[in-house]
Amino acid sequence: MENTTIFLCEDSLDGILTGVYDAWDSRLGHKNVRLETRAESNLELFCEYRDVERDLAKAEKVLNTVRKRMGEEGEEAVCYAAACTDRRKADAIYRIIVLGLHLKNGRDAVNCLQNEDVALVMKLRQKAWHEAHRMMGFVRFEELQNGILYSQIQPAYDVLSLMAPHFEDRYRQENWIIHDIRRRQMAIHRKEYPWVLADAEMLNPDYKKYYSDQEDEFQQLWKSFCKSIAIEERRNPRCQQSLLPLRFRSCMTEFIVDK
Amino acid sequence: MQVRVPENLTLMEKLNILSDAAKYDVACTSSGVNRSNTGRGIGNCIEAGICHSFSADGRCISLLKILFTNECIYNCRYCLNRVSNDVPRATFTPQEICDLVIGFYRRNYIEGLFLSSGILKNPNYTMELLYQTLFKLRTEYHFGGYIHVKAIPGADERLIERTGYLADRMSVNLELPTAEGLKTLAPNKSRKKILTPMRQVQMRMEENRNELTLYRNAPRFVPAGQSTQMIIGATPENDFQIVSVAEALYKKFELKRVFYSAFVRVNEDSLLPALPGGPPLLREHRLYQADWLLRFYGFEAKELLSEEKPNFNVLLDPKCDWALRHLELFPVEINRAEYGMLLRVPGIGVRSANRIAKARRMGTLDFADLKRMGVVLKRALYFITCKGRTMYPIKVEEDYITRNLLNVKERLPFELGQDITYRQLSLFDDMHLTKETG
């Protein structure tokens, strides 16, 4: 029996896609290779390990191929699944791409839910999509004195780059920052420019102490609106909590109690 | 009625009064239209809609839901803002609404505006104010977010049309399911007056579709369609009547949505029913389930209910109930059944039916695959086979399946959902019926 070669890649979309490129390029045969992300990897016996260096050019090539052969749906599935936290995600992404490139019509790959890897990728895609979609609603901006809109989030998955394009379109004429405090990353948008991903270390920690003059008034208006819009006779905190779990609330204006 | 002298209320006080007054309107969806930023201002819309928060009653907050004014010349018995009630009154100015919308929208609190209104002076005057507000938002602030606005029955056709070009969704509330109900509880409104603007919006939307096929950049009229709502449980209609009305609205008026609102008794009035058990929430829930069956599952009202059986089963959802009455059609073979039939299997929803239809082209499916696809097997297993076999030996027999289905806890969005499974042994006890018909 041949040894399995495990490709250890960085836990990010580009990292995994580079892994896909290297694993394929190694010509060891699909069944003799496995992809794992560094964060979740646990060393195994009788395996050869190869470290994968993130390479944007390789990742770009893989993603272009996926888009061309597996369609937009395939691309979306790969991108969203990579944002999740799951031990098997890197390998499942590799397998769905292998399947997609082998099928006559690669667009059918996402439909093969009988295949466990495809089913996993599609499940992860759904989870990440849901998280990103929720975050699009739950992000709360605060206006700083210089007019910049600043927001903190702590999503369960790495969805910052999946939701930033939405805000780029929505607030095209605004300067804004979305700060993922869990992953120490932020999306920065300058008026009329494309958004960029940046390391949050760059941020001046005193930044958010200086709110604009109107900020407090709007926060109070919003809080009081959220209270008055509820119908007392239909009160149902359990339903509220299942739709808006507590983990989101620490970053949401209407749930932060005034000091 | 004389127009009250507006007191000097702060923006906060006005917002409190006018959002409190608007909360009984159900619709808060921001779906149905995709529009990217125009490049001049703020805002876009996405087809699926976005929920921005959830209030303490578990309802989604997507739009800034307010009345323009709660000063109303009408005296509808079920309404908090009727003219004979002594409640604090307030009226916004278009400028105040614009400030609120833009301020909230910039902070990503909301997806847009839901603007309704009491009738100030007369319908035309009110509609004109709504139009002015929308005009200011769209042209001065270049607001590209979602706007849902009420068409005021009795207002001038041209005013409604002009407003429709600025809004994404328009709605006229049917208020009560039948004309008789409306007559007793809302003496100033009539069925005809309500249906006229509804028909007008429908016709204009159809013309607009034709214009858009010719000229891609023609202005769009109510692109997210129109909706309506009716109050459930204030008048003695049965479920069959209500579902039939909804079906007619979908078919004849091409409505996008019909909303149902469990009656909340806010006024002391001899003509209103007393509701000792609170608002009829379970009934409202069953109506929404049936509504989904009408819109997405290819059911017709007369399949779900009939004159002889005019109300929904309290213990089983309408789809299970239908399936149990049509056991001759089951079990269906997952790998071969038509899509339309898949949709009718309890435990299979639109999403899982789509997945099945696509996946089975790539190879046969088994129960484990169905589970992964999101089929609720504990409900579906009595109605399906995979490769000619049922999941385990079952009797295709109404009593047996009913008993087993009742053991499956139905996920109800309300606290009262618990009672049902708790009381499952008292199958034909009508304890919940009293709660409903009050």
Side-chain angles (χ1 to χ4, degrees):
Chain A
M1 194 189 100
E2 274 185 78
N3 274 357
T4 311
T5 308
I6 296 181
F7 288 81
L8 279 184
C9 30
E10 189 191 276
D11 189 7
S12 69
L13 177 62
D14 291 326
I16 292 173
L17 291 178
T18 314
V20 172
Y21 187 97
D22 284 355
W24 200 304
D25 199 37
S26 68
R27 295 169 189 272
L28 291 167
H30 296 314
K31 63 179 191 301
N32 300 323
V33 296
R34 203 160 81 212
L35 257 65
E36 272 179 23
T37 50
R38 264 178 219 136
E40 285 115 7
S41 173
N42 212 344
L43 293 184
E44 262 178 64
L45 284 176
F46 310 114
C47 288
E48 190 193 326
Y49 280 86
R50 286 194 201 174
D51 259 324
V52 175
E53 203 55 42
R54 187 179 57 154
D55 183 333
L56 289 183
K58 288 179 182 172
E60 187 65 32
K61 271 187 197 166
V62 175
L63 200 61
N64 278 337
T65 313
V66 168
R67 189 180 309 129
K68 223 181 288 164
R69 299 283 298 275
M70 296 167 63
E72 254 174 60
E73 230 182 308
E75 184 195 4
E76 200 186 84
V78 168
C79 294
Y80 277 77
C84 278
T85 41
D86 189 287
R87 210 168 42 79
R88 299 159 297 164
K89 71 173 176 186
D91 201 55
I93 289 173
Y94 181 60
R95 303 291 155 198
I96 196 176
I97 295 178
V98 170
L99 177 70
L101 301 195
H102 275 83
L103 285 177
K104 205 164 158 196
N105 181 3
R107 282 159 207 273
D108 277 334
V110 289
N111 296 329
C112 293
L113 293 170
Q114 298 94 329
N115 181 319
E116 274 183 44
D117 295 308
V118 175
L120 177 66
V121 170
M122 294 315 277
K123 197 178 109 195
L124 295 179
R125 186 209 82 101
Q126 183 60 29
K127 276 174 136 180
W129 183 87
H130 189 211
E131 184 77 1
H133 192 81
R134 272 173 151 175
M135 287 316 302
M136 285 181 196
F138 298 162
V139 163
R140 293 287 175 268
F141 286 105
E142 294 172 317
E143 194 185 35
L144 305 179
Q145 218 154 43
N146 45 14
I148 292 179
L149 297 171
Y150 173 81
S151 150
Q152 282 189 341
I153 57 170
Q154 31 189 349
Y157 312 127
D158 189 9
V159 292
L160 184 58
S161 52
L162 302 173
M163 52 192 262
H166 166 75
F167 289 104
E168 178 184 68
D169 184 50
R170 173 158 295 192
Y171 303 119
R172 204 190 269 196
Q173 318 271 352
E174 304 277 353
N175 300 313
W176 53 256
I177 296 171
I178 302 177
H179 180 182
D180 183 344
I181 47 179
R182 187 178 286 184
R183 292 171 191 78
R184 297 197 190 83
Q185 276 189 327
M186 53 185 188
I188 305 178
H189 177 262
R190 208 172 119 199
K191 192 176 166 177
E192 296 291 357
Y193 281 88
W195 71 278
V196 288
L197 197 65
D199 198 335
E201 308 298 322
M202 287 165 56
L203 197 69
N204 175 359
D206 293 337
Y207 231 111
K208 56 173 294 221
K209 285 183 194 155
Y210 308 105
Y211 288 133
S212 74
D213 304 334
Q214 280 192 317
E215 183 55 31
D216 187 56
E217 190 195 342
F218 273 111
Q219 291 197 3
Q220 294 308 326
L221 283 167
W222 172 239
K223 283 181 182 180
S224 115
F225 173 76
C226 286
K227 270 194 208 98
S228 65
I229 204 73
I231 298 177
E232 198 42 48
E233 289 86 343
R234 304 183 59 129
R235 205 181 151 69
N236 191 347
R238 242 188 35 196
C239 177
Q240 182 193 26
Q241 196 174 323
S242 68
L243 294 164
L244 177 40
L246 299 176
R247 68 185 169 97
F248 292 106
R249 300 191 186 178
S250 61
C251 294
M252 294 174 75
T253 313
E254 61 270 38
F255 294 104
I256 298 171
V257 185
D258 291 317
K259 284 170 200 124
Chain B
M1 115 151 201
Q2 70 210 36
V3 177
R4 278 157 239 226
V5 183
E7 295 161 55
N8 277 331
L9 296 169
T10 62
L11 191 56
M12 174 73 93
E13 286 164 323
K14 284 189 181 180
L15 180 65
N16 277 336
I17 294 172
L18 293 168
S19 61
D20 187 70
K23 70 185 173 189
Y24 297 102
D25 240 300
V26 192
C28 196
T29 52
S30 52
S31 56
V33 60
N34 245 337
R35 177 173 58 227
S36 59
N37 196 314
T38 53
R40 276 176 301 176
I42 187 171
N44 58 4
C45 292
I46 72 168
E47 176 91 41
I50 296 179
C51 293
H52 284 256
S53 191
F54 291 89
S55 58
D57 49 19
R59 298 187 309 159
C60 143
I61 303 177
S62 176
L63 306 172
L64 173 65
K65 197 191 294 180
I66 45 172
L67 298 188
F68 189 88
T69 175
N70 66 344
E71 295 182 45
C72 190
I73 54 171
Y74 289 168
N75 201 21
C76 308
R77 290 174 186 272
Y78 51 82
C79 180
L80 188 63
N81 304 310
R82 60 180 180 178
V83 65
S84 56
N85 273 12
D86 184 21
V87 292
R89 308 274 171 174
T91 301
F92 276 125
T93 63
Q95 183 62 50
E96 284 169 330
I97 293 183
C98 290
D99 289 342
L100 274 174
V101 170
I102 299 294
F104 279 11
Y105 196 85
R106 280 188 75 216
R107 289 164 178 79
N108 202 38
Y109 295 163
I110 53 167
E111 200 54 22
L113 172 68
F114 177 109
L115 189 58
S116 179
S117 182
I119 311 298
L120 189 62
K121 291 188 190 171
N122 59 54
N124 273 337
Y125 184 79
T126 316
M127 198 69 218
E128 176 76 38
L129 285 169
L130 300 187
Y131 170 73
Q132 279 176 17
T133 312
L134 264 55
F135 185 80
K136 205 174 173 69
L137 257 179
R138 288 288 200 218
T139 54
E140 245 175 71
Y141 292 86
H142 298 291
F143 177 68
Y146 196 90
I147 298 182
H148 178 156
V149 69
K150 291 272 163 207
I152 308 284
D156 192 287
E157 254 181 48
R158 280 163 302 177
L159 263 175
I160 292 180
E161 178 169 336
R162 271 155 59 197
T163 314
Y165 277 108
L166 301 172
D168 290 296
R169 174 166 287 184
M170 260 187 142
S171 59
V172 192
N173 281 357
L174 200 63
E175 312 292 6
L176 294 155
T178 54
E180 296 78 57
L182 198 65
K183 214 175 197 172
T184 31
L185 294 189
N188 307 87
K189 296 182 179 168
S190 75
R191 186 65 158 231
K192 187 161 167 272
K193 250 187 180 165
I194 290 173
L195 292 180
T196 312
M198 212 185 258
R199 179 68 80 197
Q200 186 209 337
V201 172
Q202 181 201 6
M203 302 309 266
R204 194 69 202 88
M205 276 167 64
E206 203 179 309
E207 286 168 32
N208 188 238
R209 271 196 293 278
N210 295 335
E211 288 162 12
L212 284 166
T213 48
L214 277 178
Y215 310 102
R216 204 160 50 92
N217 294 321
R220 304 190 65 190
F221 183 82
V222 196
Q226 62 171 335
S227 63
T228 191
Q229 81 166 25
M230 36 189 169
I231 300 165
I232 304 305
T235 39
E237 291 89 6
N238 58 38
D239 292 344
F240 183 50
Q241 281 172 299
I242 296 171
V243 176
S244 304
V245 169
E247 186 176 45
L249 288 171
Y250 285 130
K251 283 191 176 156
K252 298 196 182 128
F253 286 85
E254 297 169 84
L255 288 200
K256 201 82 181 219
R257 282 294 298 272
V258 174
F259 292 95
Y260 310 91
S261 140
F263 172 62
V264 179
R265 190 185 163 102
V266 288
N267 295 328
E268 283 307 315
D269 196 306
S270 57
L271 285 179
L272 295 175
L275 296 169
L281 295 178
L282 178 63
R283 187 173 180 205
E284 183 194 275
H285 181 59
R286 289 281 180 254
L287 283 166
Y288 274 116
Q289 288 178 318
D291 189 74
W292 249 256
L293 293 180
L294 295 184
R295 288 190 297 141
F296 302 117
Y297 292 79
F299 279 90
E300 285 182 30
K302 60 177 190 292
E303 288 180 281
L304 299 172
L305 295 168
S306 60
E307 295 287 357
E308 295 77 46
K309 185 185 167 301
N311 287 310
F312 286 114
N313 191 332
V314 230
L315 299 163
L316 283 171
D317 66 80
K319 199 179 178 188
C320 277
D321 197 57
W322 174 86
L324 283 171
R325 280 182 281 119
H326 293 86
L327 284 178
E328 71 281 0
L329 301 171
F330 297 102
V332 297
E333 168 58 41
I334 287 293
N335 288 298
R336 256 174 301 150
E338 272 177 51
Y339 176 74
M341 197 58 212
L342 283 181
L343 277 179
R344 293 189 167 226
V345 177
I348 297 184
V350 176
R351 200 183 277 175
S352 38
N354 276 331
R355 285 179 186 154
I356 291 172
K358 282 179 179 165
R360 66 185 179 183
R361 286 192 285 125
M362 316 298 299
T364 49
L365 295 171
D366 213 334
F367 287 99
D369 301 321
L370 295 186
K371 199 177 161 98
R372 273 205 296 266
M373 290 180 188
V375 173
V376 186
L377 277 183
K378 51 189 176 181
R379 203 165 291 147
L381 72 95
Y382 305 100
F383 305 98
I384 55 172
T385 59
C386 282
K387 302 175 193 166
R389 286 158 179 265
T390 53
M391 195 158 151
Y392 43 74
I394 51 162
K395 282 185 267 182
V396 182
E397 185 187 286
E398 191 174 340
D399 284 349
Y400 169 81
I401 300 178
T402 310
R403 212 164 42 240
N404 281 294
L405 283 178
L406 285 172
N407 276 324
V408 179
K409 196 176 162 199
E410 189 190 352
R411 260 182 53 198
L412 288 170
F414 318 111
E415 314 293 352
L416 67 149
Q418 300 224 310
D419 296 8
I420 292 176
T421 35
Y422 180 60
R423 300 284 303 216
Q424 65 199 357
L425 287 178
S426 52
L427 201 56
F428 300 106
D429 193 335
D430 62 355
M431 55 169 284
H432 285 290
L433 290 172
T434 51
K435 208 175 229 179
E436 281 193 294
T437 45

